[in-house]
């Protein structure tokens, strides 16, 4: 290892590197020191807080939409149940037995013989079966 140290001491590194001239190349000055660190941090913090606020707002809107859908679904189910109830009532009232009972309650009597009217000629005829 002592030979490596002796070799290093024998060839010292140059204090500066030679500048090689290249056509079209120029030396660029060092950039100016960064200013406005706190304003950059403030802008980043404002963007972060704004994005969090937008996310919370969108989340609130989505939850409100879900509640609206649930309320409309409940209302639709209530209307469907009411429609089914009314349909059952109409079917129950329109059965032949129920119609006869209502007609008797109103004092109506069944027709003895039914006749047909021909609308084209205006002639009243008996049913075809008789």
């Amino acid at each position: 290892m002592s030979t490596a140290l002796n070799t290093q001491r024998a060839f010292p590194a140059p204090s500066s590197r030679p500048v090689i001239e290249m056509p079209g190349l120029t030396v660029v000055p060092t950039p100016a020191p960064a200013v406005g660190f706190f304003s950059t941090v403030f802008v980043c913090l404002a963007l972060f807080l704004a994005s969090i606020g937008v996310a919370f707002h969108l989340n609130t809107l989505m939850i409100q939409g879900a509640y609206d859908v649930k309320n409309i679904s409940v209302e639709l189910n209530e209307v469907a149940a009411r429609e089914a109830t009314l349909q059952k009532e109409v079917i129950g009232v329109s059965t032949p037995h129920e119609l006869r009972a209502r007609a008797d309650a109103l004092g109506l009597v069944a027709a003895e013989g039914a006749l047909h009217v021909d609308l084209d000629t205006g002639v009243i005829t008996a049913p075809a079966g008789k």
Side-chain angles (χ1 to χ4, degrees):
M1 188 138 166
S2 64
T3 55
L5 286 174
N6 289 338
T7 310
Q8 273 184 339
R9 288 184 192 144
F11 302 110
S15 60
S16 67
R17 294 177 20 183
V19 176
I20 302 172
E21 292 289 327
M22 301 283 294
L25 294 179
T26 59
V27 177
V28 177
T30 55
V35 292
F37 173 75
F38 291 110
S39 63
T40 303
V41 169
F42 178 73
V43 167
C44 289
L45 184 64
L47 287 174
F48 176 73
L49 292 177
S51 65
I52 295 295
V54 167
F56 282 151
H57 179 68
L58 290 176
N59 189 18
T60 303
L61 289 178
M62 287 176 33
I63 289 172
Q64 182 62 40
Y67 280 124
D68 290 343
V69 167
K70 182 186 93 43
N71 291 339
I72 290 172
S73 176
V74 166
E75 186 177 339
L76 179 66
N77 289 338
E78 289 173 357
V79 169
R82 178 71 178 145
E83 179 187 12
T85 302
L86 291 175
Q87 235 174 3
K88 284 182 182 179
E89 287 178 8
V90 167
I91 290 171
V93 170
S94 62
T95 60
H97 176 67
E98 186 67 30
L99 289 175
R100 179 176 301 274
R102 286 183 169 237
D104 289 342
L106 291 173
L108 299 176
V109 291
E112 297 286 328
L115 300 176
H116 294 271
V117 177
D118 186 2
L119 296 178
D120 291 334
T121 60
V123 177
I124 299 173
T125 60
K130 290 188 179 181

